[in-house]
Amino acid sequence: MSGPDGGSRADEKKTTRLRRDEPRPASPDSGLVPVNANILPEGELHLDTSDETRYVVRGTMGQGGMGEVRRCLDMRIGREVAMKIVHGRGRSTPPSIEQRQRFLREARIQGQLEHPAVVPVYDLGGSADEGLYFTMKRVRGATLQQILERLSMADEAALARYSRRKLLNAFCSVCLAVDYAHARGVVHRDLKPANIMLGDFGEVYILDWGLARISGVPETRRPATAERGDPTPIQDPMAGVRPTVHGEILGTPGYMSPEQANGLNDQLDGRADVYSLGVILFELLTHEPLHAPETDSTQVVADTLLGVTDRVTEGMRACQVPPELEAVCLRALQTAPQDRYASARELCEAVESYLDGDRDLELRRELAEGHAERACDMAAKTIALQNQGNPAIEPRCAALREVGRALALDPGHTGAMAALSSLLETPPRELPPGVVPERDTFARDEQRVLGRLGAYSYFSFFLYAPLALLGMGVRNWPIFLIGTVFWTLASFGHLWRYFHPRADGRVAPALVLLSSVSVFLLSSTLGSHLIMPTVAAVHGVTYLLGRDRSVRPLVWAASVLIILLPVLLELLGWWPEHYRFQDGVITIFPYALNFPPIWTRVFLVVVDLGMVLTACAMVAGMRDALSTAEQRMQLHAWQLRQLVPAEPSTGRSIRRVRRRMDSARRDRR
């Protein structure tokens, strides 16, 4: 790929590397002629006012308090152009002499900056109706501010179209265009995303040169009305610009450099634009403004003067921006101009180095070392607090974050791996808040499994009921009907539990009582010693398999009472006699059903098989659920083990790792 001068990018990069440590001249091309913005009297400008029908207005593209931009058709050429006009503080107020001079100055500066990223000026004229105007190319596309707003909202189309690489390439084009302007002696002074436009076909434009300053050329001044450094209201450049005075702030809060915020307008050079480019780079990388939009302009100016490096570091790391780009942005945003990049071209070269894959490995190692040290400190603090009975959730989270950052910078860092290993080997003693929702999800899944299995078990009663009704015959209808009602309620209760699982298991106690009564009423068939123990055991297992420990005492008590209560009631004479023991023979007296020989045998076989199969299905279902959970946990543990080699997982202490890290650091020095 050829560079702007026809040479290859590789050659240009090689030259850049050779001279990186050499002082750069103020202008990269000494053959460029400085911009001439001397404002002649309007009578000597020979403005063409004879043909007022050349431009046909088709609409307004933007407007402010002191001017507007219109979409016009040039009847001579047959093309659409943008026409910028100037008026006073109101549309009906004529512009002052100072406003007209500044407008002409903007037109001459923009017209002489012949660069692909500067919108070309076609014509400068005057109209009896509209006054001064200049026409320029009508550009189409979206401003960087519009693009960043869409990216901040995670717009899928914007994310697909404007990748980080594409935006960084466009940023480099902006830097080179700004460097060209600096070479011509022009400082923009109002660089911001709203003044940068990206076209649909790769075009990049820098808009609005109304605040531009020409080095060495004094600007129009009027008697100062504010003390030096007092912040004054900022005017939208599209709405006109106030004359420059000592102590007056020109620019946009949040994007202007500290020297602009101090009102040092006559001392500005290209490094003021470098600062603005640094703010744009931050927003481009994080999709968030450096200063909150709702912050008062006065506070923004004060924050700019105090320095923004801490805010930049926090925002970059929150968005996981590569450290090379973080370092580039931090240098561009230094408060002192001499600490920044000397030119916009140097800023461009720093970004291009990242895009070309030139990673600063030493910088990555240093950053990884710092993160690893903090990880080891936080891991040791976590373990110490846990030994004292403190859950230490916050230190653990901080340690894991530092481990992640260290390993992202240096995947083989021994200290970070040892810290990770120690944290994994010493899990927290209580569930962190973030695990509780996941635990509740698992609990609801268990409730669904238990509800499904319980519904199967209790609905199986209706397989036995036809045998009792059709084959054996009912002896005591009230007992039989009451038992049927309770079994039906228990069946639908478990079905409801399946469709409406609750993590807290508050439905379980009611179901335990309902099911226990149903099982208890079975004693009216064969007493408490036949079938009943098996049914009671299945009933108890159904509820003891759940994770809710609070219901266990109730399950144990109900299971015991199911067996003992019929015996006790029979001994007290409150329950009909079921068993008579005489001469080594047990005689059973059922009072709920008749016992014809053939149907009784069929009934007992079906009931026995049902109990065995139900118990097996219940245990198998829960075992499958537990196996799935165990497999998931084993997979998680296996994946975590892949992060840590075998050596650090041998129980090495954090103190020993710290000694090795300190020794390695001394060796490097």
Side-chain angles (χ1 to χ4, degrees), residues 140-144 146-148 150-151 154-170 197-203 287:
R140 294 172 173 83
T143 65
L144 185 57
Q146 294 170 333
I147 294 171
L148 292 176
R150 292 176 59 191
L151 292 174
D155 184 282
E156 293 185 2
L159 291 170
R161 183 174 183 181
Y162 299 104
S163 64
R164 175 178 286 178
R165 172 172 287 277
K166 185 171 183 178
L167 291 177
L168 288 176
N169 284 330
M197 177 173 284
L198 304 187
D200 295 332
F201 301 96
E203 312 98 313
H287 302 167

Side-chain angles (χ1 to χ4, degrees), residues 424-436:
L424 295 179
E425 292 174 354
T426 313
R429 296 183 178 179
E430 64 182 44
L431 287 179
V435 181
V436 174

Side-chain angles (χ1 to χ4, degrees), residues 12 16 20 24-28 115 168 170-183 186-188 191 206 209 269-278 280-281 328 331-332 337 340-352:
E12 180 181 353
T16 302
R20 188 177 296 273
R24 295 183 58 84
S27 170
H115 188 278
L168 288 176
F171 178 79
C172 289
S173 298
V174 171
C175 290
L176 292 177
V178 171
D179 190 58
Y180 165 81
H182 293 169
V186 177
V187 182
H188 189 283
L191 292 171
I206 300 176
W209 295 81
D269 56 21
R271 292 172 295 185
D273 283 345
V274 169
Y275 184 93
S276 302
L277 289 170
I280 295 172
L281 179 60
V328 170
R331 183 175 175 186
R340 301 175 205 147
Y341 291 101
S343 67
R345 180 176 290 269
E346 286 191 7
L347 175 57
C348 170
E349 290 172 352
V351 175
E352 283 184 336

Side-chain angles (χ1 to χ4, degrees), residues 62-273:
Q63 61 183 3
M66 296 185 183
E68 66 182 46
V69 179
R70 298 174 175 176
R71 179 169 59 90
C72 300
L73 177 63
D74 186 341
M75 300 301 292
R76 290 185 186 176
I77 308 299
R79 64 183 174 186
E80 281 195 343
V81 298
M83 174 186 288
K84 187 169 184 178
I85 65 173
V86 63
H87 51 71
R89 295 188 178 275
R91 297 197 56 164
S92 60
T93 305
S96 65
I97 295 177
E98 292 177 335
Q99 291 168 348
R100 294 164 69 92
Q101 287 181 337
R102 185 168 290 280
F103 183 79
L104 292 172
R105 180 191 188 93
E106 176 186 354
R108 288 173 65 86
I109 291 175
Q110 185 172 334
Q112 292 180 57
L113 291 176
E114 298 176 305
H115 188 278
V118 181
V119 181
V121 173
Y122 293 147
D123 189 16
L124 175 62
S127 167
D129 295 332
E130 302 294 351
L132 289 175
Y133 69 82
F134 69 85
T135 61
M136 52 188 164
K137 176 182 178 180
R138 185 194 173 191
V139 294
R140 294 172 173 83
T143 65
L144 185 57
Q145 178 177 340
Q146 294 170 333
I147 294 171
L148 292 176
E149 288 175 353
R150 292 176 59 191
L151 292 174
S152 67
M153 295 185 293
D155 184 282
E156 293 185 2
L159 291 170
R161 183 174 183 181
Y162 299 104
S163 64
R164 175 178 286 178
R165 172 172 287 277
K166 185 171 183 178
L167 291 177
L168 288 176
N169 284 330
F171 178 79
C172 289
S173 298
V174 171
C175 290
L176 292 177
V178 171
D179 190 58
Y180 165 81
H182 293 169
R184 298 291 302 275
V186 177
V187 182
H188 189 283
R189 291 198 297 191
D190 197 27
L191 292 171
K192 56 185 177 181
N195 285 341
I196 296 172
M197 177 173 284
L198 304 187
D200 295 332
F201 301 96
E203 312 98 313
V204 179
Y205 299 106
I206 300 176
L207 309 177
D208 207 331
W209 295 81
L211 283 183
R213 175 182 184 273
I214 302 178
S215 301
V217 178
E219 299 184 79
T220 304
R221 296 177 181 172
R222 59 184 172 86
T225 58
E227 294 297 328
R228 181 182 184 87
D230 289 344
T232 59
I234 307 302
Q235 301 291 337
D236 186 340
M238 289 298 298
V241 180
R242 299 172 60 188
T244 302
V245 297
H246 279 298
E248 187 175 32
I249 299 176
L250 290 176
T252 301
Y255 297 94
M256 66 173 68
S257 63
E259 53 268 32
Q260 284 178 264
N262 262 325
L264 306 177
N265 298 295
D266 287 341
Q267 302 177 26
L268 298 182
D269 56 21
R271 292 172 295 185
D273 283 345

Side-chain angles (χ1 to χ4, degrees), residues 361-442:
L361 297 180
E362 186 61 30
L363 172 62
R364 283 178 166 262
R365 292 192 185 98
E366 291 179 2
L367 293 174
E369 191 76 15
H371 288 304
E373 288 184 1
R374 287 189 289 273
C376 290
D377 290 340
M378 298 307 296
K381 180 180 178 181
T382 300
I383 296 173
L385 289 174
Q386 284 193 185
N387 292 335
Q388 298 171 8
N390 190 309
I393 300 299
E394 288 301 324
R396 177 178 290 274
C397 293
L400 289 172
R401 284 194 294 268
E402 294 295 339
V403 166
R405 291 166 181 165
L407 293 179
L409 294 166
D410 185 0
H413 198 286
T414 305
M417 291 180 179
L420 177 60
S421 176
S422 65
L423 291 171
L424 295 179
E425 292 174 354
T426 313
R429 296 183 178 179
E430 64 182 44
L431 287 179
V435 181
V436 174
E438 185 176 357
R439 180 204 60 184
D440 292 343
T441 300
F442 284 135

